[in-house]
Amino acid sequence: MSAGLRSYMPFARRGDCGGSERRSRGYRECMISRYHLKCPGCEEVFVARLGVEPTNGTRFYLPCPHCRLPIRGFMQGTELENHRINIECEVMNGADPELPGALVVTINPFVPSLYEADSFTPSGAFPTLTLVQILGQDAFTEFESERHQALDAGRLQWPRVRMLFQYYLQGNAKMFTRIATEQFGLDWEPTQAHQRTSIAYQAMGTVTTTIAGTTGNRSATVIDRFARKHTAAMQRHKEHLVAFRARGKQSAALERDLFTELNRFVEQHESWEMGLLVRFVGQAEQAKFEDLVLYRDEFSTVRDLYQQGFELACKCIWPLVAAQNTVKRGSPDDFGNDHPVTVPANKQARSLAQYDKLPNAYKIAYAAQVPGWESLGELLNNKHRNTIGHATAHHDLQTGRIVSDTDPTGMTYLDFLGHTLGVFDALSTLAQVLRACRVAASPDFGVA
């Protein structure tokens, strides 16, 4: 077989050592298969133990164990029976599954794996079992449950939400009601615009919250405390109502951008969904992940999601700050002397208009200093933003880390995905905050 891009069906061949690690997980299944590969650089032959799952499309890589040349690959197929893998090297599998004396490497694009592991390595040989050993059976079971609920939500539920929200954005009340009735079981007709706004955002929030997961998710606290502050402010201070109606009307474009970005995140969910694992890894388990690498090759795709999502989330924080100002001082524009210690005196906001012009780090700091909203400062961490978004940031395929000229140590690819999940979590949360602005701006309520 000549060198080049090879396409083949992995499950038509014998598995690892006469068998394979294969586990049924509803519509998803994982498996470890063994292949003999010839490096296109040094031309040495080695054995690759490759983890595979049903996927809409996954880019991965494996360094040659002889010369460390990164060899890229792509797999696709939502059913194991039609799964295809392309690897940019010569595939030399024959009838004998063994290759005496050959170096063995283990690569799993779906689960962090131990590169040096072979079939007999006590830890790392079977990546999913390694996770059980590190997390413990209970935590692993919960992780698997949340992970596949998220995957199902994106695959099965989001297309309906996307259709509903698109009709909402179009102002097509007839089709919106039809989809809400047929697809979501709505048993009453939303004749007013603010009703359709609430239904659209509720449907979107239900799915995005499932995708973001339950463990480590504090969106409910942020939304609940905002709702109470906002409601009290609307009832007691007309200036707050006027500000939210005016800004809500100006937020139509932001609303569309927010939906578009959330849709991009969901469409590319497979590329960052393993970031959920980070929320199950405590300090005690962290060290055990140092030798494991997630061999995915989708940095440019995921970084774009991270950067665009981060910037957009920061544009949606102002309603939190406005509600806090009104509750504390009677006006959404009154920041008083309540400024974060990280904001220099010459950058302190004196009005919402000034707040809008602040650097993102300062915008986040104003919200994160409020009890119950601290999680936004963690999800939208500007230090991580600088590392990931730096012009020289790249995925080092030798170490599996995201590094840059200013941060040569960087972070693991798994942590990078965890931060991407954090941005999605923040966007999902702030979408429900923006909902209040859009409801307040509804033409149903006339002029304040």
Side-chain angles (χ1 to χ4, degrees):
M1 185 180 292
S2 61
L5 190 65
R6 295 302 174 200
S7 177
Y8 52 96
M9 295 182 64
F11 306 112
R13 305 181 186 280
R14 294 179 63 185
D16 193 359
C17 295
S20 61
E21 178 195 8
R22 182 169 179 171
R23 304 188 303 109
S24 176
R25 299 192 300 194
Y27 81 95
R28 297 184 72 83
E29 218 172 339
C30 71
M31 182 175 181
I32 294 287
S33 290
R34 176 183 290 251
Y35 304 100
H36 304 162
L37 305 177
K38 183 177 181 180
C39 175
C42 67
E43 298 187 341
E44 294 288 343
V45 177
F46 62 96
V47 177
R49 301 176 66 251
L50 180 62
V52 292
E53 284 192 12
T55 174
N56 288 320
T58 295
R59 298 202 305 269
F60 65 94
Y61 73 99
L62 61 160
C64 169
H66 298 278
C67 68
R68 302 299 296 180
L69 177 72
I71 302 172
R72 287 181 161 87
F74 178 80
M75 64 177 67
Q76 185 175 40
T78 55
E79 300 293 338
L80 294 182
E81 290 73 16
N82 63 10
H83 204 284
R84 290 286 192 277
I85 296 181
N86 298 330
I87 301 179
E88 294 179 338
C89 70
E90 187 172 354
V91 181
M92 303 183 65
N93 286 59
D96 188 352
E98 301 301 329
L99 196 63
L103 296 180
V104 179
V105 298
T106 295
I107 304 297
N108 194 320
F110 303 95
V111 181
S113 52
L114 182 63
Y115 177 77
E116 297 84 3
D118 60 25
S119 304
F120 306 101
T121 303
S123 177
F126 299 103
T128 50
L129 296 182
T130 300
L131 287 188
V132 175
Q133 295 171 355
I134 295 176
L135 300 178
Q137 184 62 60
D138 291 344
F140 175 76
T141 300
E142 183 63 26
F143 162 69
E144 284 285 88
S145 175
E146 288 194 26
R147 181 192 177 200
H148 293 291
Q149 285 176 11
L151 289 166
D152 280 340
R155 185 177 71 98
L156 303 175
Q157 299 173 31
W158 182 256
R160 297 185 300 155
V161 171
R162 180 173 57 226
M163 184 162 48
L164 182 75
F165 213 92
Q166 286 172 330
Y167 282 130
Y168 161 71
L169 292 174
Q170 294 172 13
N172 190 333
K174 180 180 179 180
M175 287 305 303
F176 179 92
T177 300
R178 175 178 171 180
I179 297 303
T181 302
E182 295 178 356
Q183 300 292 330
F184 294 89
L186 189 70
D187 57 2
W188 57 279
E189 183 178 355
T191 58
Q192 296 185 300
H194 76 277
Q195 294 172 333
R196 292 190 290 274
T197 299
S198 292
I199 291 169
Y201 276 88
Q202 183 176 352
M204 181 170 68
T206 298
V207 177
T208 58
T209 299
T210 301
I211 293 174
T214 302
T215 300
N217 191 322
R218 287 173 280 174
S219 64
T221 300
V222 176
I223 295 170
D224 177 67
R225 296 198 177 188
F226 165 74
R228 287 190 279 117
K229 291 176 186 290
H230 175 63
T231 300
M234 291 280 279
Q235 293 172 345
R236 301 171 189 171
H237 302 281
K238 185 176 180 180
E239 188 176 347
H240 184 86
L241 172 61
V242 171
F244 265 68
R245 285 191 177 178
R247 283 178 162 254
K249 290 177 181 178
Q250 298 167 4
S251 297
L254 180 60
E255 176 181 65
R256 185 176 297 275
D257 290 345
L258 183 60
F259 167 73
T260 299
E261 192 61 27
L262 285 171
N263 186 58
R264 289 182 65 230
F265 265 89
V266 177
E267 287 182 341
Q268 298 293 334
H269 183 215
E270 285 190 14
S271 67
W272 56 270
E273 58 93 8
M274 188 49 65
L276 180 66
L277 178 60
V278 173
R279 296 187 171 184
F280 289 82
V281 179
Q283 291 184 349
E285 298 85 10
Q286 185 65 50
K288 298 179 181 179
F289 276 90
E290 289 301 316
D291 295 329
L292 303 181
V293 176
L294 188 65
Y295 288 92
R296 299 189 77 99
D297 186 28
E298 298 156 329
F299 174 66
S300 59
T301 298
V302 181
R303 181 172 71 167
D304 185 58
L305 289 173
Y306 176 93
Q307 290 182 295
Q308 296 295 328
F310 192 102
E311 297 295 322
L312 192 56
C314 291
K315 294 180 180 180
C316 300
I317 295 175
W318 72 263
L320 298 173
V321 177
Q324 177 70 3
N325 287 350
T326 304
V327 168
K328 286 287 186 178
R329 290 170 289 275
S331 170
D333 280 303
D334 190 350
F335 284 78
N337 296 316
D338 193 11
H339 305 285
V341 295
T342 56
V343 178
N346 64 342
K347 294 292 185 180
Q348 292 173 353
R350 302 299 177 186
S351 67
L352 285 177
Q354 288 186 1
Y355 174 84
D356 291 338
K357 299 176 183 178
L358 292 179
N360 287 335
Y362 301 155
K363 289 181 180 179
I364 297 165
Y366 272 101
Q369 71 174 348
V370 179
W373 296 345
E374 303 91 344
S375 60
L376 288 175
E378 300 167 15
L379 298 176
L380 301 172
N381 185 300
N382 204 61
K383 179 180 178 181
H384 298 149
R385 165 66 178 81
N386 292 339
T387 296
I388 296 169
H390 194 274
T392 63
H394 63 280
H395 185 194
D396 185 343
L397 301 186
Q398 300 299 321
T399 64
R401 302 181 72 87
I402 308 302
V403 299
S404 68
D405 290 353
T406 58
D407 189 1
T409 301
M411 65 183 69
T412 67
Y413 196 83
L414 184 63
D415 283 337
F416 163 57
L417 298 187
H419 297 314
T420 303
L421 169 62
V423 169
F424 175 81
D425 193 352
L427 275 178
S428 171
T429 301
L430 292 169
Q432 300 306 312
V433 172
L434 186 66
R435 164 186 176 177
C437 308
R438 297 298 292 156
V439 168
S442 171
D444 301 331
F445 301 125
V447 180

